[in-house]
Every structure is written in structure tokens, then in C-alpha cells.
Amino acid sequence: MTTISHWIDGKSIAPTGETLPVLDPATGKTVAEVALADTDTVKQVVASASAAFPAWRDLPASRRAQALYTFRELIRDHQDELAEMITREHGKTLDDARGEVARGIDTVELACGVPGLLKGETSEQSGRNIDTISTLHPLGVVLGITPFNFPVMIPLMMASIAIAAGNTFILKPSEQDPSSAVRIAELAKEAGLPDGVFNVVHGRQQTVEALIDDPEVAGVSFVGSTPVAHSVYRRAAAAGKRVQAFGGAKNHLVVMPDASIEAAADAISSAGFGAAGQRCMAISVAVAVGGVGDELVAALKKRAEAVVVGPGYDGRSEIGPVVSAAAQQRIRKIVADAKSAGADVVVDRSTEQVSGFEDGFFIGPTLVDHVTDSDDIYRTEVFGPVVSVVRVDTLDEALQLIHDHEYGNGASIFTNSGGAARKFQREACAGMVGINVPIPVPVAPYAVAGWKNSVFGDTGLNNAAWKFFTQPKYVTSRWDEAVSGIDFGFRPN
Ligand code: NAD
């Protein structure tokens, strides 16, 4: 049995102590075990990242970018290998996994632009014979804690910007699919990143808390579920650290009466059932406006029944399993509870089995109609291939639903009306908005950032992360002859 080890100071560390099994969600079988970092390992990784920081910080940005260009090429060369690792441990289809790696590469490319992007400002003659400049400085050792659902993309989103900005980075990936994180760290070394700049340690709550509490860790970037995001945010902030923590979601897609129902149903199916509903930008609520409900539900039913469920490494599968037996049981319970509460479950494939893979954690597409905003299935983040349909009369009612929901990650509208689209764009209470697109995740030169309980902190990932991973310094200087003389006033410029 392979043990997935920590990667500290440019090498694999022989595991000591506790391990956890890593499962193939398609078979339910253990494929490896992952080491859990104890206190000594946490101290070791922080010491390595601290020691590497001064030299990495002092390297010109263009030299850091050179290493990142090579890193990008290596990830591209190993795209299939990384995708296979994702599929083996996460369960998503190979095609979807390749897409995930490609989105991660987008951020590495963005990070390669560091020499042009991390520039300060200058105001010559900001006072009489006085100049003011601002410069941007890395924080030091920064920590990234990442979720299971994007085991390559989210680590790359955090690490590449943090490292390009001159920080050294400790990644604590999900213990459910940890292999690709270590492979990325190996590629970072091969790309020429000095030892200690990119480290990986595995673990759960205890490891995360020890890392956050270490005085040498200056910044914490987290992506995961809302309860954990909130607790990580509170703990890091209480220690006076810079922290951004991205949480869960419940994304609505509003279908207007003038929209193409076929296009909207395609979008809802792709974004609701794709990756077995395990994307933070998955559409889990379809809002049918003004009488389109029956036609929309019929179109969704046809699609939900047709989806091919199977192991991600079988090219015929359109969606793979969910990540774990616990996730499978939790989602099945949500659907069963909704049924007992009288929900109109139009398609229920939640207990479906895949022939030859009976021990896999599969959940087939499930469609629930006539859901209301007081139903548990509406309020909870299901994180499975389950779409709820809510019927309303007007766009204002649809916007109110989005406004009132606890989460505010993304929201989309399908319409042919410019007026409706513009109103939605302005008023939808979510950080990422889509118009006639199913998953409104902006491209890397923008930001990934939700609103409300989908985020704690005020900076996004991708291009917004420069601000998170640097701190500004403001320098005021005067070089004229008449600098001496006492002046007790607080002078205007
Ligand atoms: P999770 O919160 O269970 O775990 C996330 C990370 O935190 C993992 O590395 C895990 O080991 C660690 N962790 C777990 N419990 C902890 C605790 N008590 N204290 C400290 N650390 C802990 O999330 P997950 O199930 O891996 O990921 C799915 C969630 O992530 C969903 O809610 C999804 O919406 C969210 N997500 C959000 C975004 C976004 O951009 N907002 C992106 C991707 C995923």
C-alpha cells in the first residue's frame, strides 16, 4: 500500500504516526494511505518555509516568473497524469479533471505576469519637494487549506499567486484526494523553485489548527465548507493574521419566460449534475419564472434520466461518483427526508447502483419540483447531483430568493431580454453572476469571490489575490537642501 507523504524542504518526508485511507470512490476500495502531520511535522514545515523566505523574497520578480513559466510547462506536460490522479481519488470524469487542470494552469499563467502586475505607485511632488511611493511586499510564510472538489485547481490558484508575490507556501490539501498536491510540489521543484518555497503537509483539523497557530505563519487562505471556513477565519483573525476563507454555496439559475427552455435545461443539467454536483459553482436551484415551470421540468426530467453515471475513468461516463460513503449517505438522506416531507421528486436516481461497481459511492441525477424557500433541501448545500425547481411569478421574486439565501457565491439568468439581464446583473445578491451561461466562474484575470456566507474576508482568489498575498509600504522622501529646521505644526501639503 502506497503512503502519500508530506513534501517538506524539497523532499518527501518519511511518515510517522497516524495515517488515513484514501479511497477510489468508484469502487469504494482503499488505494493508498495518507500520513497525518503531527506537531513536530508542522514545526518542520514552518521552519523550512521560513528559512526559504528571505532568499525567495529577494529574488527579482522576473526570476520568480521564469521558474513559474517552467512550472506551467511541466503542469501542462503532466496534465493527463494529474487528471488521472484526480479521477482516481475524487471520482470526476477524466475529461472534467483535465478541464480542472487547465483552469489551474490559467492561474499559473496569470502569476507568470508578476513583473508587470506587482507594481507600486509614485506621486512626484506630492508635497513641496516631497515624493511619495508605494511598494508591495510579500507577507512571509502563507498557508493554503484546500477542499476535495478541486484538488489541483484550487491549490494552483492559491500557490502560484502567493509564490509569485515572493511568499513561501504551505499547502494543506484535502485528505480525501491528496496525491495530486504532492505531484504538483514535485513539479515545482523540477521547475526550479527552491526547496522550502512550496511545501505540502497532510492532515485534518488538528494539523490545520497547529499551522494557523504557528507564529511564523503570516497569512491563511482557505477554501471549503462554510462552517469550517468560519472557524478558520475566526481562529486566524483572533491571532491577528491576514485571512480569507471561502465557504459553501447554493447557486440559483433563473429561467425567464422569454428564454430558450432547451438551452436553459442544458445549462442546468450541465452545471447541476456535472462533477456529480460537487462544484462550488454547481447550479442547485432552478427558478422558473412566470409559468415556464412545466416545460422546464419536462426538459430537465428528460436530461436527468438520460445521464450516464459510472466510474470517471470510463470514457462513457458523464458523471462519476461522489467523493465518499459519508457524502453518499448524507445526500441520500437529504432526498429521503424531502420525500417524507412530501416533496415532488420527479426523478430519483439517488439510490441507483452502477453495475460492476456496487460498492462505489454513486448518486444519480435527482430532480425535485415545487420546492419552496422553507424546505430543508432548498436551504442546505446538498453538494450532490440534485436540482431543486422553485416556481415564482416575477423576476423580482426570483431576486428576492437569491437575496434571502444564506449563500451568495454565484447566480445566473437565462433570458433574451437585455432589460431583465441588466436588472439581474445589478440586483442579484451574489459575487459571481452569469447571463446565459451556466457556471459564472470568471476567467483568471478577474477574481473568484462570493458574497454573504460564501466568504469570510474581503479579497478574492486569482487576480484579486495579489492584494491578499502582499502588504503595501508607503515611503515619503525629501531630497532638497532645506530639510533642516524645527516645525511643530502638522502642515498641509
Ligand atoms: P471541508 O470544509 O470539509 O474541508 C476543507 C479543508 O478543511 C480540507 O483540507 C479539510 O481537511 C480541512 N478541514 C476539515 N474540517 C476542518 C476543521 N474542523 N478545522 C480545520 N480544517 C478542517 O470542505 P470539503 O468537503 O473538502 O469541500 C467542499 C466544500 O468546499 C463545499 O462546501 C464547497 O461549496 C466548498 N467550496 C467553495 C469554493 C468557493 O470558491 N467558495 C470552492 C470550492 C469548494
Side-chain angles (χ1 to χ4, degrees), residues 330-362:
R330 182 181 53 74
I331 298 161
R332 284 183 174 166
K333 183 171 184 317
I334 290 171
V335 175
D337 288 351
K339 263 184 161 168
S340 342
D344 180 2
V345 183
V346 179
V347 178
D348 183 0
R349 296 178 63 187
S350 63
T351 53
E352 190 173 289
Q353 292 205 324
V354 174
S355 169
F357 292 85
E358 284 75 10
D359 293 332
F361 312 135
F362 292 96

Short mmCIF file of all heavy atoms in Angstrom, two decimals, residues 330-362:
data_model
loop_
_atom_site.label_atom_id
_atom_site.label_comp_id
_atom_site.label_asym_id
_atom_site.label_seq_id
_atom_site.Cartn_x
_atom_site.Cartn_y
_atom_site.Cartn_z
N ARG A 330 -25.16 11.12 3.16
CA ARG A 330 -25.73 12.44 3.51
C ARG A 330 -26.70 12.90 2.41
O ARG A 330 -27.81 13.34 2.70
CB ARG A 330 -24.57 13.43 3.67
CG ARG A 330 -24.97 14.83 4.08
CD ARG A 330 -23.76 15.75 4.20
NE ARG A 330 -22.93 15.76 3.01
CZ ARG A 330 -23.24 16.37 1.87
NH1 ARG A 330 -24.36 17.06 1.78
NH2 ARG A 330 -22.45 16.30 0.82
N ILE A 331 -26.29 12.74 1.14
CA ILE A 331 -27.15 13.21 0.04
C ILE A 331 -28.41 12.35 -0.04
O ILE A 331 -29.51 12.87 -0.21
CB ILE A 331 -26.35 13.18 -1.29
CG1 ILE A 331 -25.15 14.13 -1.21
CG2 ILE A 331 -27.25 13.57 -2.46
CD1 ILE A 331 -24.06 13.87 -2.24
N ARG A 332 -28.23 11.04 0.10
CA ARG A 332 -29.42 10.16 0.06
C ARG A 332 -30.40 10.52 1.17
O ARG A 332 -31.62 10.50 0.96
CB ARG A 332 -28.99 8.69 0.23
CG ARG A 332 -28.38 8.14 -1.04
CD ARG A 332 -28.02 6.68 -0.90
NE ARG A 332 -27.57 6.16 -2.18
CZ ARG A 332 -26.93 5.01 -2.32
NH1 ARG A 332 -26.68 4.25 -1.27
NH2 ARG A 332 -26.56 4.59 -3.51
N LYS A 333 -29.87 10.87 2.32
CA LYS A 333 -30.76 11.23 3.45
C LYS A 333 -31.52 12.53 3.15
O LYS A 333 -32.71 12.64 3.45
CB LYS A 333 -29.93 11.36 4.74
CG LYS A 333 -30.78 11.65 5.96
CD LYS A 333 -29.98 11.56 7.24
CE LYS A 333 -30.82 11.75 8.49
NZ LYS A 333 -31.81 12.80 8.48
N ILE A 334 -30.82 13.49 2.53
CA ILE A 334 -31.49 14.76 2.20
C ILE A 334 -32.67 14.49 1.26
O ILE A 334 -33.77 15.01 1.44
CB ILE A 334 -30.48 15.77 1.57
CG1 ILE A 334 -29.47 16.24 2.61
CG2 ILE A 334 -31.22 16.97 0.97
CD1 ILE A 334 -28.31 17.07 2.06
N VAL A 335 -32.44 13.62 0.26
CA VAL A 335 -33.51 13.32 -0.70
C VAL A 335 -34.63 12.53 0.01
O VAL A 335 -35.82 12.83 -0.16
CB VAL A 335 -32.95 12.54 -1.92
CG1 VAL A 335 -34.08 12.12 -2.86
CG2 VAL A 335 -31.90 13.37 -2.67
N ALA A 336 -34.25 11.55 0.82
CA ALA A 336 -35.26 10.74 1.52
C ALA A 336 -36.10 11.60 2.46
O ALA A 336 -37.33 11.48 2.52
CB ALA A 336 -34.58 9.61 2.29
N ASP A 337 -35.43 12.51 3.17
CA ASP A 337 -36.16 13.40 4.10
C ASP A 337 -37.11 14.31 3.33
O ASP A 337 -38.25 14.57 3.79
CB ASP A 337 -35.18 14.26 4.92
CG ASP A 337 -34.43 13.44 5.97
OD1 ASP A 337 -34.79 12.26 6.16
OD2 ASP A 337 -33.49 13.99 6.58
N ALA A 338 -36.65 14.80 2.17
CA ALA A 338 -37.53 15.66 1.37
C ALA A 338 -38.76 14.88 0.94
O ALA A 338 -39.89 15.37 0.99
CB ALA A 338 -36.76 16.19 0.16
N LYS A 339 -38.53 13.62 0.55
CA LYS A 339 -39.66 12.77 0.12
C LYS A 339 -40.64 12.58 1.26
O LYS A 339 -41.86 12.71 1.09
CB LYS A 339 -39.13 11.40 -0.30
CG LYS A 339 -38.93 11.26 -1.78
CD LYS A 339 -38.50 9.83 -2.07
CE LYS A 339 -38.71 9.48 -3.52
NZ LYS A 339 -38.06 8.24 -3.88
N SER A 340 -40.10 12.26 2.45
CA SER A 340 -41.02 12.05 3.59
C SER A 340 -41.75 13.33 3.94
O SER A 340 -42.87 13.28 4.47
CB SER A 340 -40.33 11.55 4.85
OG SER A 340 -39.12 11.03 4.63
N ALA A 341 -41.16 14.47 3.66
CA ALA A 341 -41.85 15.73 3.96
C ALA A 341 -42.82 16.11 2.84
O ALA A 341 -43.40 17.20 2.85
CB ALA A 341 -40.82 16.83 4.18
N GLY A 342 -42.96 15.23 1.84
CA GLY A 342 -43.98 15.45 0.80
C GLY A 342 -43.46 16.12 -0.45
O GLY A 342 -44.25 16.62 -1.26
N ALA A 343 -42.12 16.14 -0.66
CA ALA A 343 -41.58 16.82 -1.85
C ALA A 343 -42.00 16.09 -3.13
O ALA A 343 -42.25 14.88 -3.12
CB ALA A 343 -40.05 16.86 -1.75
N ASP A 344 -42.06 16.87 -4.20
CA ASP A 344 -42.43 16.32 -5.50
C ASP A 344 -41.14 15.90 -6.23
O ASP A 344 -40.55 16.67 -6.97
CB ASP A 344 -43.17 17.45 -6.27
CG ASP A 344 -43.62 17.02 -7.64
OD1 ASP A 344 -43.40 15.84 -8.00
OD2 ASP A 344 -44.19 17.86 -8.36
N VAL A 345 -40.71 14.66 -5.96
CA VAL A 345 -39.45 14.19 -6.53
C VAL A 345 -39.74 13.59 -7.92
O VAL A 345 -40.31 12.50 -8.03
CB VAL A 345 -38.75 13.16 -5.60
CG1 VAL A 345 -37.41 12.74 -6.19
CG2 VAL A 345 -38.55 13.76 -4.22
N VAL A 346 -39.37 14.33 -8.95
CA VAL A 346 -39.73 13.96 -10.32
C VAL A 346 -38.82 12.86 -10.85
O VAL A 346 -39.25 11.95 -11.55
CB VAL A 346 -39.62 15.23 -11.22
CG1 VAL A 346 -39.97 14.91 -12.66
CG2 VAL A 346 -40.51 16.34 -10.69
N VAL A 347 -37.52 12.98 -10.54
CA VAL A 347 -36.56 11.93 -10.91
C VAL A 347 -35.77 11.62 -9.65
O VAL A 347 -35.22 12.53 -9.03
CB VAL A 347 -35.58 12.40 -12.02
CG1 VAL A 347 -34.58 11.30 -12.34
CG2 VAL A 347 -36.33 12.85 -13.26
N ASP A 348 -35.75 10.36 -9.25
CA ASP A 348 -34.96 9.99 -8.08
C ASP A 348 -34.00 8.87 -8.46
O ASP A 348 -34.38 7.70 -8.53
CB ASP A 348 -35.87 9.54 -6.93
CG ASP A 348 -35.04 9.23 -5.68
OD1 ASP A 348 -33.79 9.37 -5.74
OD2 ASP A 348 -35.62 8.84 -4.65
N ARG A 349 -32.75 9.25 -8.72
CA ARG A 349 -31.74 8.23 -9.02
C ARG A 349 -30.72 8.20 -7.88
O ARG A 349 -29.58 7.77 -8.06
CB ARG A 349 -31.06 8.57 -10.35
CG ARG A 349 -32.04 8.52 -11.54
CD ARG A 349 -31.36 8.91 -12.86
NE ARG A 349 -30.30 7.99 -13.23
CZ ARG A 349 -29.47 8.19 -14.27
NH1 ARG A 349 -29.60 9.25 -15.04
NH2 ARG A 349 -28.51 7.32 -14.54
N SER A 350 -31.17 8.67 -6.70
CA SER A 350 -30.21 8.85 -5.60
C SER A 350 -29.73 7.52 -5.02
O SER A 350 -28.68 7.47 -4.38
CB SER A 350 -30.82 9.72 -4.50
OG SER A 350 -31.95 9.08 -3.95
N THR A 351 -30.48 6.45 -5.24
CA THR A 351 -30.04 5.17 -4.68
C THR A 351 -29.57 4.20 -5.77
O THR A 351 -29.36 3.01 -5.52
CB THR A 351 -31.17 4.52 -3.86
OG1 THR A 351 -32.33 4.44 -4.69
CG2 THR A 351 -31.50 5.31 -2.61
N GLU A 352 -29.44 4.75 -6.96
CA GLU A 352 -29.07 3.92 -8.11
C GLU A 352 -27.68 3.28 -7.92
O GLU A 352 -26.78 3.90 -7.37
CB GLU A 352 -29.03 4.84 -9.33
CG GLU A 352 -28.90 4.15 -10.63
CD GLU A 352 -29.06 5.16 -11.77
OE1 GLU A 352 -30.18 5.64 -11.99
OE2 GLU A 352 -28.04 5.48 -12.41
N GLN A 353 -27.53 2.07 -8.42
CA GLN A 353 -26.22 1.42 -8.36
C GLN A 353 -25.65 1.27 -9.76
O GLN A 353 -26.40 1.21 -10.73
CB GLN A 353 -26.36 0.03 -7.74
CG GLN A 353 -26.74 0.10 -6.27
CD GLN A 353 -26.29 -1.13 -5.53
OE1 GLN A 353 -26.32 -2.22 -6.08
NE2 GLN A 353 -25.89 -0.96 -4.29
N VAL A 354 -24.35 1.23 -9.85
CA VAL A 354 -23.70 1.05 -11.15
C VAL A 354 -23.21 -0.40 -11.23
O VAL A 354 -22.47 -0.86 -10.34
CB VAL A 354 -22.52 2.05 -11.31
CG1 VAL A 354 -21.74 1.77 -12.59
CG2 VAL A 354 -23.06 3.49 -11.31
N SER A 355 -23.65 -1.07 -12.27
CA SER A 355 -23.33 -2.49 -12.41
C SER A 355 -21.80 -2.71 -12.45
O SER A 355 -21.09 -2.04 -13.20
CB SER A 355 -24.00 -2.99 -13.69
OG SER A 355 -23.53 -4.24 -13.99
N GLY A 356 -21.33 -3.62 -11.63
CA GLY A 356 -19.90 -3.90 -11.54
C GLY A 356 -19.19 -2.99 -10.55
O GLY A 356 -18.02 -3.19 -10.25
N PHE A 357 -19.89 -1.97 -10.08
CA PHE A 357 -19.29 -1.01 -9.13
C PHE A 357 -20.25 -0.79 -7.95
O PHE A 357 -20.50 0.33 -7.53
CB PHE A 357 -18.99 0.33 -9.84
CG PHE A 357 -17.88 0.22 -10.85
CD1 PHE A 357 -18.16 -0.20 -12.15
CD2 PHE A 357 -16.57 0.50 -10.52
CE1 PHE A 357 -17.15 -0.33 -13.09
CE2 PHE A 357 -15.54 0.38 -11.45
CZ PHE A 357 -15.84 -0.04 -12.74
N GLU A 358 -20.78 -1.89 -7.45
CA GLU A 358 -21.83 -1.81 -6.44
C GLU A 358 -21.36 -1.15 -5.14
O GLU A 358 -22.15 -0.62 -4.38
CB GLU A 358 -22.41 -3.20 -6.13
CG GLU A 358 -23.35 -3.73 -7.22
CD GLU A 358 -22.62 -4.19 -8.49
OE1 GLU A 358 -21.38 -4.30 -8.46
OE2 GLU A 358 -23.29 -4.43 -9.51
N ASP A 359 -20.04 -1.20 -4.87
CA ASP A 359 -19.54 -0.57 -3.65
C ASP A 359 -19.09 0.88 -3.87
O ASP A 359 -18.55 1.52 -2.97
CB ASP A 359 -18.35 -1.37 -3.08
CG ASP A 359 -18.81 -2.75 -2.60
OD1 ASP A 359 -19.99 -2.86 -2.20
OD2 ASP A 359 -18.00 -3.69 -2.65
N GLY A 360 -19.30 1.38 -5.09
CA GLY A 360 -18.92 2.77 -5.38
C GLY A 360 -19.93 3.73 -4.78
O GLY A 360 -21.06 3.37 -4.46
N PHE A 361 -19.50 4.99 -4.68
CA PHE A 361 -20.34 6.00 -4.00
C PHE A 361 -21.15 6.80 -5.02
O PHE A 361 -21.06 8.02 -5.09
CB PHE A 361 -19.45 6.93 -3.17
CG PHE A 361 -18.45 6.19 -2.30
CD1 PHE A 361 -17.13 6.61 -2.23
CD2 PHE A 361 -18.84 5.09 -1.55
CE1 PHE A 361 -16.21 5.93 -1.45
CE2 PHE A 361 -17.92 4.41 -0.75
CZ PHE A 361 -16.60 4.83 -0.71
N PHE A 362 -21.95 6.08 -5.80
CA PHE A 362 -22.67 6.76 -6.88
C PHE A 362 -23.99 7.35 -6.39
O PHE A 362 -24.66 6.78 -5.53
CB PHE A 362 -22.93 5.78 -8.03
CG PHE A 362 -21.65 5.38 -8.71
CD1 PHE A 362 -20.99 4.20 -8.36
CD2 PHE A 362 -21.08 6.20 -9.68
CE1 PHE A 362 -19.81 3.84 -8.96
CE2 PHE A 362 -19.88 5.84 -10.29
CZ PHE A 362 -19.24 4.66 -9.93
#
